[in-house]
Amino acid sequence: MDVLECIKSRRSVRKFSDKKLEYDTIKNIIDAAVCAPTAQMREPWGFLVIQDKEELKAISDVAKEGIKKEIDTLPHFKKYEDWFNDPEYNVFYGSENLVVVYGDSDAHWYKEDCCCVADNIMLLANNEGIGTCWIGFSEIILDTPELKEKYNIPQNYKPVASLIMGYMDRTPKPPRRKEALMFSK
Ligand SMILES: Cc1cc2nc3c(=O)[nH]c(=O)nc-3n(C[C@H](O)[C@H](O)[C@H](O)COP(=O)(O)O)c2cc1C
């Protein structure tokens, strides 16, 4: 797939085929994705890979409870309140695979750097028939001291991008976008 086709065909995928996504395939994608640019060449990232549906379901349950408790202070989540109250809703959509890009918050531009690497991961995955979806709903749970302790993630590392992954069972329609807003004098 050429670069243009890869960019233009990437979609968020929330349902995957049963084909097993091997750890080595994910690791190879990460190893290529880290060619992303970084401010001051800090490469301020670390990656958490979880490949377990049940573990992800358990994290989703805690994430939903945490959001519900704090909903009044989270206006951007308010409109999804019904989803968080739905026992069937899993923020990871039942996916078996999650890759989280954590950024070293001691590096000033860690968020920008980690977004660059995350987009590379999504595009490299798309090139291999692997779908991804960024899961912003998991940002709070992934930043809790308990979770970071469990996976040996230093406390100064902040979750920037949380991506479910899996082989696609169909080719999604290309995205439709607004005309780019162009500024000029
Ligand atoms: C920062 C960010 C957070 C997102 N969080 C979620 C999420 O929690 N759940 C979800 O289903 N999709 C999430 N998405 C995916 C968007 O809904 C999706 O990118 C958008 O609808 C455009 O669709 P497309 O990616 O298929 O082009 C997120 C995307 C981004 C970039």
Side-chain angles (χ1 to χ4, degrees):
M1 204 187 278
D2 71 26
V3 176
L4 194 59
E5 189 191 344
C6 189
I7 291 172
K8 288 193 161 188
S9 65
R10 185 220 53 83
R11 295 301 310 275
S12 293
V13 177
R14 300 173 179 86
K15 193 172 165 289
F16 305 99
S17 80
D18 291 336
K19 184 176 169 187
K20 168 104 187 114
L21 177 56
E22 299 295 341
Y23 176 83
D24 287 355
T25 306
I26 297 177
K27 181 64 169 50
N28 286 340
I29 288 174
I30 292 172
D31 288 343
V34 294
C35 293
T38 55
Q40 302 169 328
M41 261 211 85
R42 293 282 295 266
E43 303 181 52
W45 40 53
F47 301 89
L48 171 66
V49 178
I50 300 176
Q51 294 190 275
D52 183 328
K53 262 186 199 196
E54 294 311 313
E55 202 170 322
L56 290 176
K57 161 89 172 59
I59 295 174
S60 168
D61 288 343
V62 181
K64 284 162 63 189
E65 284 311 309
I67 292 172
K68 281 194 291 188
K69 254 189 229 151
E70 302 293 327
I71 198 80
D72 291 333
T73 63
L74 302 168
H76 53 297
F77 283 162
K78 193 79 184 165
K79 72 173 180 178
Y80 303 105
E81 201 168 359
D82 288 351
W83 299 14
F84 304 127
N85 283 318
D86 177 356
E88 296 300 312
Y89 182 67
N90 177 332
V91 301
F92 302 118
Y93 299 98
S95 168
E96 185 166 88
N97 308 290
L98 180 76
V99 175
V100 188
V101 182
Y102 277 89
D104 176 353
S105 60
D106 294 341
H108 178 75
W109 284 286
Y110 77 94
K111 286 184 189 157
E112 291 82 349
D113 296 337
C114 290
C115 285
C116 289
V117 91
D119 201 33
N120 274 356
I121 292 174
M122 292 188 280
L123 293 173
L124 286 156
N126 187 40
N127 185 48
E128 294 193 34
I130 296 165
T132 58
C133 183
W134 188 316
I135 304 296
F137 289 158
S138 60
E139 68 187 356
I140 298 173
I141 180 71
L142 295 170
D143 198 28
T144 54
E146 299 77 21
L147 185 137
K148 290 199 271 192
E149 218 162 273
K150 177 171 176 187
Y151 294 104
N152 295 308
I153 298 160
Q155 295 296 338
N156 61 315
Y157 277 66
K158 301 282 176 195
V160 177
S162 155
L163 309 171
I164 52 171
M165 297 178 92
Y167 285 97
M168 292 183 269
D169 57 5
R170 60 184 184 90
T171 309
K173 288 196 183 125
R176 294 175 62 185
R177 290 293 187 258
K178 293 186 274 197
E179 191 60 37
L181 174 60
M182 304 301 295
F183 300 113
S184 62
K185 68 175 173 135

